[in-house]
Amino acid sequence: MTTIEDLQRGTDSAVAVAAPNGAGSATTVPARVFTPRKKKKPWKSWLLFLLFAGPNVALLIVFTYKPLLQSLYYSTLQWNLGSASAIPVGLGNYVTWFNDPGTVRVVTVTLIFTVATVGGGMVIGLLFAVLLNRKLHGRGAARTIVVAPYVLSGVAVGLLWLFVFDPNFGITAALLDAIGVASPPWYNDPHWALVMVIIVYLWKNVGYVALIYLAALQSVPRDLLEAASLDGASPVRAFRNIVLPLLGPTTFFLSITTLLSSLQSFDIIQAMTKGGPLEGTTTMMYQIYQEGFQAGRAGYSSAVATILFAVLLVVTLIQMKYVEKRVHY
């Protein structure tokens, strides 16, 4: 028989097992040695966590959360950029912004620009993705052409399209003149200037949406589409009832990323219109730049930045709370 001392020493002792009904001789079975498993020390787990997550957390604190808190503090000051002194005004900058007659125009321009770029980009990007997902001649080159503008600099794109929209020598003027239509006053009319900026923004960023949708379309199971075809479903009906629901997670992801990107758009507006004419293309993001770096009102600019951050946060939370419920994973 195995004793406690044998188990503690880890010896291969044998246990005698009697045969049933007393027949035959006893059979010896080697005893199993139970070795307690060593538990990992908690400090080693924390050290491993800090080793991998520490640099990222440090970067977030230094370049994201610290500037955010500083901007919130500056928004309570009446401070000119570069001045050595500042006057605490509490919520005075926020009251000034909400009572400013130009705020309604800035908010309206921001809404129009955001809705047009996000909605238009999602629709056009999906159409491009469906087209590029088909077996077409030169499909690889077409995919490269669609995605290429997204990797270009916004300033370079804006300067390029200034020549395209030139009312005297631009390509658009030549095309419209060929059908007997005069070129719109892109640079002098606030409404046409906003349309021009929206077109350029869509041209640059629609490739990103198309690329993400294309990857999602390629992951749709072909068996489902073949089964729907055998059941007599038309391609349009199969796309609406099968493909679109499966694209729900991708659509939800794109709706958040494109919305955040649109509300923070700056480079194209700066390169093409500088917020004009008559502030017809001045969004909240561009107003932050104008007030902070052109007018030197750092405190007021920080207040506008804080309001924009609050808008982004609320919209994102609403999307995650209500829109995500309609997504089928």
Side-chain angles (χ1 to χ4, degrees):
M1 296 297 290
T2 305
T3 63
I4 298 177
E5 288 77 13
D6 293 334
L7 290 176
Q8 291 176 346
R9 289 193 301 268
T11 58
D12 294 330
S13 303
V15 179
V17 179
N21 301 324
S25 58
T27 304
T28 58
V29 179
R32 299 181 63 184
V33 178
F34 297 94
T35 304
R37 182 178 297 178
K38 295 181 179 180
K39 294 183 179 180
K40 293 183 178 180
K41 296 182 179 180
W43 65 269
K44 288 186 177 181
S45 300
W46 280 106
L47 183 62
L48 188 64
F49 170 78
L50 292 176
L51 180 63
F52 287 100
N56 293 328
V57 173
L59 291 175
L60 285 175
I61 292 174
V62 174
F63 295 103
T64 301
Y65 297 114
K66 182 182 177 181
L68 177 62
L69 295 176
Q70 286 181 331
S71 177
L72 183 61
Y73 169 69
Y74 292 153
S75 67
T76 63
L77 303 176
Q78 182 181 348
W79 175 47
N80 293 330
L81 191 65
S83 176
S85 60
I87 302 174
V89 293
L91 300 178
N93 289 323
Y94 297 95
V95 174
T96 302
W97 186 81
F98 281 105
N99 292 330
D100 189 350
T103 298
V104 176
R105 180 180 60 253
V106 172
V107 172
T108 302
V109 171
T110 304
L111 287 176
I112 294 174
F113 179 82
T114 303
V115 172
T117 53
V118 174
M122 297 279 286
V123 173
I124 299 174
L126 180 58
L127 293 177
F128 272 123
V130 172
L131 180 63
L132 296 176
N133 195 39
R134 297 179 177 273
K135 294 182 179 179
L136 303 174
H137 182 68
R139 183 175 59 177
R143 290 176 178 177
T144 304
I145 293 173
V146 170
V147 180
Y150 177 69
V151 301
L152 299 178
S153 168
V155 175
V157 169
L159 295 175
L160 173 66
W161 279 84
L162 282 176
F163 296 97
V164 175
F165 283 106
D166 189 282
N168 297 318
F169 310 102
I171 298 176
T172 56
L175 294 176
L176 293 174
D177 185 65
I179 59 177
V181 178
S183 177
W186 301 106
Y187 304 131
N188 300 324
D189 188 282
H191 301 92
W192 283 111
L194 183 58
V195 173
M196 176 180 64
V197 172
I198 291 173
I199 293 174
V200 177
Y201 184 91
L202 287 174
W203 181 85
K204 181 183 184 303
N205 294 279
V206 75
Y208 165 75
V209 180
L211 181 64
I212 302 300
Y213 266 134
L214 179 61
L217 286 173
Q218 292 178 347
S219 64
V220 174
R222 304 298 302 176
D223 297 342
L224 295 177
L225 299 178
E226 293 175 359
S229 178
L230 292 175
D231 289 340
S234 63
V236 176
R237 185 177 180 183
F239 182 81
R240 183 178 68 250
N241 296 332
I242 297 177
V243 178
L244 280 182
L246 293 177
L247 293 179
T250 304
T251 302
F252 175 68
F253 167 77
L254 287 173
S255 66
I256 294 180
T257 56
T258 55
L259 179 66
L260 297 179
S261 176
S262 178
L263 285 173
Q264 299 178 80
S265 178
F266 169 80
D267 46 5
I268 292 178
I269 297 176
Q270 169 66 12
M272 298 190 70
T273 62
K274 293 181 173 56
L278 302 176
E279 299 184 348
T281 57
T282 300
T283 60
M284 291 183 65
M285 187 67 196
Y286 197 79
Q287 186 186 28
I288 295 171
Y289 166 76
Q290 286 181 324
E291 296 294 342
F293 295 95
Q294 292 183 347
R297 302 169 64 188
Y300 187 78
S301 175
S302 298
V304 180
T306 304
I307 295 172
L308 180 59
F309 168 76
V311 171
L312 293 172
L313 180 62
V314 170
V315 171
T316 304
L317 291 177
I318 291 175
Q319 286 181 306
M320 297 183 66
K321 182 175 179 59
Y322 296 102
V323 179
E324 191 177 13
K325 293 181 179 180
R326 302 177 180 270
V327 177
H328 302 282
Y329 291 96

